[in-house]
Amino acid sequence: MENVRQVSNDIAHDLRTPLARLRQGLEVARGRARTGAEYQAAVDRALDEADGLLQTFSALLRIAHIESGARRSAFRTVDLSEVMQTVAEAYGPAAEDGNRVIRAEIADTVRVHGDRELLTQLFSNLVENALQHTPQGALITMHLTRQFSEAVAEVADNGPGIPEQERSKAFRRFYRLERSRITPGNGLGLSMVAAIADVHHATVQVLDNAPGLRVAVRFASGDS
C-alpha cells in the first residue's frame, strides 16, 4: 500500500507540470495569438506537451504489464552476448554524434532464460540514460562476464554519477536528480530497467564507478 501511495503521489506531482504548461499555452494562444502563424505555433507546442504525456502513460502501462509477469510464459534461452552487442552497435552512431564513445567488453555466448525484447529494452534504457546524463567526451562501457552460475552485465560511464545518498531512489518512478530536470525525459527509464530485471529474477544495483555511474545486473546463467 505504501508503494501504491508513493506511485500515486509521484504521478500527481510529475504530471502536474506538463499539464499546467499545456493549459497555459492554450490560454496564451486564446488571449494573445492574432495571426495564423501564432496559432499554429501554439498548437504545435500543445501537441508536443500532449505527446510527452502520452509517452509517459505508455511507459507506465508497459511497466505495469512487465510487473504482472504476463510475458514470463514465453521465456526462452537468450544469447545475452548477442543482445548487448546489438544494443552497443545500435547506439554507436548516436554516441559519436554526441562526442561520446561506447566500448563493448562482452564475453561470447553468455545465455540466460528470458525475453529477448525485454532484455533489449533493459540495456537500451541503460545506454540511453548514460548518453543523456554524461558530458561530451564521456566513455560508456558495456561489460558482460560469467561469474560461476551467474551472468553479470554492467553499463558504466565516467560522467557525474549519482550521489550515494540518492542511489536508493534511482529506480523509483519519476525520480530525477535536480540537475536532470532541465533535460528531456520522464524519470521512468530506470524504473523499467528494475521491472524487467525483476521479472527475470535478476538483481540490479546502482554503484559508484569512481568517477561516474555503474549499473550491474546479475542473472542466473542459462548455460548448461
Side-chain angles (χ1 to χ4, degrees), residues 80-81 84 105-107 110 142-146 151-154:
L80 193 60
S81 304
M84 292 185 67
E105 300 173 351
I106 298 170
V110 176
M142 300 183 70
H143 191 257
L144 176 64
T145 59
R146 294 184 191 88
V152 182
E154 296 182 341

Side-chain angles (χ1 to χ4, degrees), residues 23-202:
R23 190 179 193 283
Q24 182 182 22
L26 292 173
E27 283 186 338
V28 169
R30 183 177 65 180
R32 300 181 188 175
R34 295 291 182 268
T35 67
E38 289 176 343
Y39 277 113
Q40 183 64 52
V43 169
D44 288 344
R45 288 192 296 271
L47 287 172
D48 286 342
E49 292 289 358
D51 286 344
L53 287 164
L54 288 171
Q55 289 172 7
T56 296
F57 279 108
S58 293
L60 285 169
L61 289 171
R62 182 163 171 76
I63 289 171
H65 180 66
I66 292 167
E67 288 179 336
S68 74
R71 298 180 61 156
R72 196 175 279 141
S73 62
F75 277 16
R76 301 287 184 272
T77 298
V78 178
D79 188 334
L80 193 60
S81 304
E82 184 181 336
V83 168
M84 292 185 67
Q85 190 65 49
T86 298
V87 171
E89 292 172 359
Y91 283 93
E96 290 181 10
D97 288 345
N99 193 27
R100 296 169 179 81
V101 175
I102 294 178
R103 177 186 297 164
E105 300 173 351
I106 298 170
D108 293 332
T109 59
V110 176
R111 299 181 180 90
V112 297
H113 189 62
D115 182 304
R116 182 184 179 87
E117 180 184 342
L118 291 181
L119 292 170
T120 300
Q121 179 79 68
L122 185 155
F123 291 104
S124 295
N125 282 16
L126 289 178
V127 172
E128 286 179 5
N129 189 69
L131 289 173
Q132 189 171 12
H133 298 294
T134 56
Q136 291 192 6
L139 173 64
I140 297 162
T141 303
M142 300 183 70
H143 191 257
L144 176 64
T145 59
R146 294 184 191 88
Q147 293 184 12
F148 302 105
S149 60
E150 292 184 322
V152 182
E154 296 182 341
V155 176
D157 63 65
N158 58 355
I162 297 177
E164 183 176 359
Q165 66 273 18
E166 300 288 323
R167 290 177 203 152
S168 62
K169 305 175 186 176
F171 297 112
R172 203 176 77 188
R173 285 170 176 80
F174 297 110
Y175 177 74
R176 305 181 77 193
L177 289 172
E178 197 59 39
R179 66 168 180 259
S180 300
R181 292 189 176 275
I182 59 173
T183 62
N186 53 26
L188 292 172
L190 289 181
S191 295
M192 191 172 294
V193 166
I196 295 171
D198 186 64
V199 82
H200 284 83
H201 300 303

